[in-house]
Amino acid sequence: MTTLELLRSDRVLSVVRAPAIDDAKDLCAALVAGGIHVIELTFTTPDLPRHLERAASTAAETGAVVGAGTVQTAAQAKQAVEAGAQFLVTPGQGLEAAEIVAAAHDAGIPIVLGAFTPSEVMTATALGSDAVKIFPAHQLGPKYLKDLSGPFPGVPLVPSGGVNAGNARQFLDAGALAVSAGTDVVSPADVAAGRWADITAKATTFCAALR
């Protein structure tokens, strides 16, 4: 099953944005135990390539599909690929967006470019983005995502930013391929302290809300 197929099945990925990760393997195992298999570790975490490598090398044990998020340069894209990332995600589209797309596709992995406006969605698809992250999604909510789905019915949209157990189902009903679960599931403090049982419980609650 490809990453996009898994997202279409699970309807959720977890975005981990923390100042430190106690153990990437245990983090992934905790999220998978709660029902979230696609996990995005972001470049805002120090020493991200090391954490990616740890998560990727133990993926057969945890059952996680791990990628890199907040990718803003071609150099970061290359680092992530070399560390074993199975997908790349950007917050938007900078001057190196085309190079980031190329780095992902050369490695045979999907790229999800960030966008907010219709013009940015068009640019992302023109650049070859496999799906488009709508960020920050909470600013205009599920209705805005539904409006975007009108002119872009074939574009897989993934809302991110401010998505929680209370509104996630609304984003899916509005046409999202999947939603991004952020601090509602993986609080920075829980990740840094290794509170895996708490993360599993929150992931379970979030996944239940999607049904």
Side-chain angles (χ1 to χ4, degrees):
M1 187 180 291
T2 68
T3 301
L4 288 186
E5 288 171 343
L6 184 57
L7 277 179
R8 191 169 281 110
S9 173
D10 279 7
R11 311 302 303 274
V12 58
L13 73 153
S14 180
V15 180
V16 180
R17 196 177 298 284
I21 296 176
D22 182 70
D23 186 284
K25 176 189 175 183
D26 289 345
L27 167 63
C28 291
L31 286 165
V32 171
I36 299 177
H37 298 85
V38 183
I39 300 165
E40 175 189 331
L41 305 183
T42 65
F43 267 98
T44 52
T45 298
D47 203 14
L48 178 69
R50 179 174 63 86
H51 296 304
L52 270 175
E53 194 170 311
R54 168 70 169 160
S57 66
T58 57
E61 297 175 57
T62 63
V65 175
V66 184
T70 320
V71 178
Q72 300 184 55
T73 67
Q76 287 179 331
K78 183 179 178 182
Q79 280 185 312
V81 167
E82 290 176 348
Q86 291 301 299
F87 62 91
L88 302 180
V89 183
T90 75
Q93 300 157 41
L95 294 176
E96 297 183 42
E99 295 173 71
I100 294 171
V101 171
H105 288 170
D106 286 349
I109 62 174
I111 171 70
V112 182
L113 293 178
F116 188 66
T117 68
S119 294
E120 290 170 349
V121 173
M122 290 176 68
T123 300
T125 57
L127 287 169
S129 191
D130 298 285
V132 180
K133 179 175 81 170
I134 303 302
F135 175 81
H138 70 93
Q139 288 294 329
L140 295 177
K143 186 180 183 304
Y144 178 64
L145 193 89
K146 185 175 182 180
D147 290 342
L148 284 178
S149 297
F152 305 116
V155 179
L157 302 177
V158 182
S160 180
V163 180
N164 54 52
N167 61 21
R169 182 70 241 180
Q170 297 172 51
F171 279 106
L172 294 179
D173 291 342
L177 167 73
V179 295
S180 295
T183 55
D184 195 47
V185 171
V186 280
S187 80
D190 284 348
V191 175
R195 293 194 281 263
W196 310 130
D198 291 346
I199 288 174
T200 295
K202 291 174 183 177
T204 301
T205 298
F206 192 97
C207 289
L210 301 183
R211 297 189 290 270

